[in-house]
Amino acid sequence: MNANQAATEPLVELSHVEKRFGDLHVLKDINLKVAKGDVLVVIGPSGSGKSTMCRTINRLETIDSGDIRIDGHPLPQEGKDLAKLRAEVGMVFQSFNLFANKTILENVTLAPIKVRHMAKKDAEDLAMGLLARVGVDSQASKMPSQLSGGQQQRVAIARALAMHPKVMLFDEPTSALDPEMVNEVLDVMVELAHEDMTMICVTHEMGFARKVANRIVFMADGQILEEGTPDEFFENPQTDRAKDFLSKILTH
Ligand SMILES: Nc1ncnc2c1ncn2[C@@H]1O[C@H](COP(=O)(O)OP(=O)(O)OP(=O)(O)O)[C@@H](O)[C@H]1O
Ligand SMILES: [Mg+2]
């Protein structure tokens, strides 16, 4: 492969992905290429398949047909390779999913020690650096329940970053937060974007989408209906579904 091809090879590629839950057709012929450094924002009505699409990318959901590749490699089916994939694809969910019975520090060191076989001291140094980066290093010895939602989400981001992921998936990371905590999490995401992290973000934070995303994907009824730059999408949506969605969301 020459340098030019390497530069254009997508980091994440979904081709003709189909997924059903019983009779419900949730992902319909999804085709998506995410390049290194892209900040992709996925928006769309509730139930349109945004979370399911994210979950297929680190194989929390299987797909019925089609193909998903990370850095050119098809997703592994199981075992060690799957654990490795999960490490390469960092994920932050809407609900804070820290391990409740472990300290903040242990939450961040667990995977580097278990999956990467890092020495405890090295993992702790790494974790403290990341906790400082997201502004919660002073909370390291606390339990998750002692932190605010915004702090917990920042720990969840640090925990994902500890595995040096190739791509970060965010599924509505701020939607369960009290309003005053939303910005502290968005600020960390903005910083990651400026550091060229490849990011796929499901979010209804339109300010973030407009300012930080380089591409917007609009999903409805299990399909990608529109894809474009924030300017193209917000200024000139093409489909009635997108126009209708935007008119609802932007009047708030
Ligand atoms: N495990 C499951 N079993 C059955 N149906 C499911 C499952 N997970 C999701 N669904 C259904 O699949 C469809 C897509 O769900 P998904 O969570 O991907 O939507 P979404 O776009 O993320 O919605 P929201 O904006 O509400 O988070 C919905 O109709 C949902 O009820
Ligand atoms: Mg969802």
Side-chain angles (χ1 to χ4, degrees), residues 130-236:
L130 288 167
L131 288 171
R133 189 165 147 197
V134 299
V136 289
D137 46 327
S138 61
Q139 316 291 322
S141 59
K142 291 191 181 166
M143 302 305 279
S145 61
Q146 296 175 283
L147 270 61
S148 72
Q151 289 173 325
Q152 289 188 50
Q153 270 315 48
R154 286 183 281 152
V155 174
I157 294 173
R159 183 175 63 174
L161 292 176
M163 298 303 278
H164 302 296
K166 289 180 178 168
V167 52
M168 286 282 286
L169 306 177
F170 293 89
D171 189 1
E172 300 201 41
T174 60
S175 58
L177 296 176
D178 290 338
E180 70 267 28
M181 291 170 196
V182 168
N183 281 336
E184 65 189 41
V185 173
L186 288 179
D187 286 346
V188 172
M189 293 170 66
V190 170
E191 209 169 285
L192 280 181
H194 290 158
E195 288 163 12
D196 277 340
M197 175 61 79
T198 308
M199 297 164 62
I200 300 174
C201 315
V202 179
T203 181
H204 291 157
E205 293 294 334
M206 292 300 134
F208 177 85
R210 270 175 184 261
K211 276 185 246 137
V212 186
N214 66 327
R215 285 165 64 210
I216 307 285
V217 161
F218 176 73
M219 285 185 79
D221 303 323
Q223 289 175 296
I224 293 179
L225 288 192
E226 298 201 25
E227 205 185 319
T229 66
D231 276 354
E232 284 166 354
F233 180 71
F234 289 108
E235 303 306 329
N236 196 14

Side-chain angles (χ1 to χ4, degrees), residues 21 24 26 44-53 61 172 204:
F21 288 116
L24 197 63
V26 242
S46 182
S48 56
K50 306 179 297 294
S51 294
T52 305
M53 183 175 80
E61 292 290 355
E172 300 201 41
H204 291 157

Side-chain angles (χ1 to χ4, degrees), residues 82-116:
L82 185 56
K84 197 162 154 262
L85 168 89
R86 296 253 165 84
E88 284 178 351
V89 181
M91 182 137 187
V92 179
F93 301 88
Q94 174 175 1
S95 54
F96 326 123
N97 59 333
L98 299 176
F99 303 112
N101 58 347
K102 295 197 184 300
T103 66
I104 296 307
L105 184 66
E106 287 166 346
N107 262 278
V108 183
T109 58
L110 187 72
I113 292 171
K114 289 248 170 183
V115 181
R116 296 261 199 260

